Amino acid sequence: MPSRTATPGGTWGKRMLVIVAVTCMLATVVPTVAGAQQVRSEEELYFTYIGPVFETGFSSVDYKKWDHSTDVRDSRSSSGMYYSGGVVLDIFVHYFIGEFSLQCRDAAYADSEVSAIYLRTAAIGKYFHQFDERFFADGGFGIYMETGPANRKYDGGGGIAAVIGVGYSFTREWRIMLDFTAGWGRYGIAEEAANSAFGVKLAVLYKIGRL
């Protein structure tokens, strides 16, 4: 019986068919993957907003003061309203917001010896939930620092902050955010001073670009 041997031409033809098939498959898959990567990259762009921020609320401070008549340190407390204004920068990406603010705060305590005007900076990470194209809610935690320049000797302070609120997008460029705020930390006047504050913050934001 004659032997069955594969011809070189037949082997080469089968290899070419495999190469052509793989090439066609890659030609179909690669653009699809590249398109998906491009869409994903567009979705991951950071949208940056900036604008004025105003805040007011109620604050209390506990501190110690040396009583020269009794030669002991008395524990004291004072409370009052605070008012502040400044600028805020919000970076939106997916469901998160990175917020950075710089404000001038007037802590108007009932006891004038602990009242002061100083600078307050804060960095807060938020999670936000989009209800529809316009309404969203947000909340998160962060830290704050209080420093000079101040209207009196101020040693500086800082602590933790928490916020929860809502937002509304008028257009793609303009947003307004209303947050309820809370903070606990060290106060920069008097001995062993610690304060707590609860208030409301309003920010009007304009989109300045995307990263």
Side-chain angles (χ1 to χ4, degrees):
M1 296 180 60
S3 61
R4 301 177 60 184
T5 58
T7 62
T11 302
W12 182 85
K14 291 179 180 179
R15 291 178 178 176
M16 284 300 300
L17 288 176
V18 172
I19 294 174
V20 171
V22 172
T23 303
C24 293
M25 182 181 65
L26 291 176
T28 304
V29 173
V30 170
T32 303
V33 174
Q37 291 294 334
Q38 182 177 359
V39 171
R40 183 177 300 175
S41 299
E42 292 176 356
E43 292 176 350
E44 292 178 352
L45 289 174
Y46 295 4
F47 293 91
T48 307
Y49 290 77
I50 193 171
V53 59
F54 306 95
E55 186 174 350
T56 185
F58 181 82
S59 181
S60 62
V61 58
D62 297 316
Y63 62 99
K64 294 184 182 296
K65 183 178 181 180
W66 189 264
D67 189 338
H68 295 282
S69 62
T70 60
D71 286 336
V72 296
R73 287 194 307 170
D74 292 336
S75 295
R76 302 188 179 187
S77 62
S78 185
S79 60
M81 299 294 294
Y82 71 85
Y83 311 89
S84 61
V87 63
V88 62
L89 177 72
D90 279 9
I91 301 175
F92 289 74
V93 54
H94 291 299
Y95 302 106
F96 296 96
I97 306 172
E99 182 173 283
F100 307 91
S101 63
L102 173 64
Q103 300 184 57
C104 178
R105 172 165 291 193
D106 182 0
Y109 290 111
D111 191 342
S112 60
E113 68 178 359
V114 290
S115 297
I117 301 175
Y118 50 85
L119 288 182
R120 186 178 191 271
T121 58
I124 298 176
K126 297 180 180 181
Y127 171 84
F128 81 96
H129 175 74
Q130 193 86 35
F131 294 109
D132 54 33
E133 293 183 356
R134 296 188 180 274
F135 286 99
F136 60 91
D138 65 84
F141 298 90
I143 59 174
Y144 70 88
M145 292 188 300
E146 297 173 342
T147 64
N151 67 331
R152 58 184 303 174
K153 186 178 183 299
Y154 191 81
D155 296 330
I160 60 174
V163 298
I164 185 171
V166 294
Y168 180 79
S169 300
F170 293 100
T171 66
R172 292 184 177 180
E173 287 76 27
W174 289 96
R175 288 182 173 180
I176 187 171
M177 297 177 66
L178 180 67
D179 287 339
F180 296 96
T181 65
W184 304 267
R186 180 186 181 278
Y187 191 60
I189 296 179
E191 297 183 34
E192 300 180 19
N195 70 336
S196 59
F198 303 90
V200 61
K201 178 177 65 177
L202 177 67
V204 180
L205 303 174
Y206 177 74
K207 186 171 72 174
I208 58 174
R210 56 187 184 180
L211 302 178

